[in-house]
Amino acid sequence: ARGGSGQDFQYRGPGAAAYTLKWRRHNALGLVFVAVHRAVLQLPYVDPLLRQAANQFEYLYSSGKTDYSEFSPTFDKALAACEASAARRDRAKAPSAGGA
């Protein structure tokens, strides 16, 4: 089964786990940044991560560089920052221990 609209898409193959695909187009660079994760996971940081990845990629490679190997550490830092930000938001939303 397939479904989705806009910038996300749900996919479930026969007998396979369901996946969510999200993407962000970068028209100036002619690129599409895609994130794929198991649909059962709720990952609130995927949209900010795609935005950061596109922005960082443009910053690093707008000069026409074609060696993309140095992007992995940049992406890893962006992922860690987005995960940490989502964790902070979750902790802020959680009821306090001993709260009413």
Side-chain angles (χ1 to χ4, degrees), residues 22-91:
K22 288 191 167 205
W23 61 88
R24 181 176 183 85
R25 286 187 216 119
H26 193 300
N27 293 333
L29 294 176
L31 295 173
V32 177
F33 295 85
V34 180
V36 179
H37 62 85
R38 298 273 309 258
V40 70
L41 300 174
Q42 297 297 315
L43 302 177
Y45 56 84
V46 173
D47 289 322
L49 176 61
L50 287 170
R51 188 171 36 258
Q52 268 193 302
N55 290 342
Q56 289 294 321
F57 194 90
E58 179 180 24
Y59 175 76
L60 289 172
Y61 298 104
S62 61
S63 64
K65 291 169 60 175
T66 57
D67 176 10
Y68 305 123
S69 62
E70 66 188 56
F71 189 69
S72 287
T74 300
F75 177 81
D76 292 341
K77 287 178 188 174
L79 175 59
C82 288
E83 288 175 331
S85 178
R88 282 191 302 275
R89 279 193 306 273
D90 287 347
R91 282 193 299 273

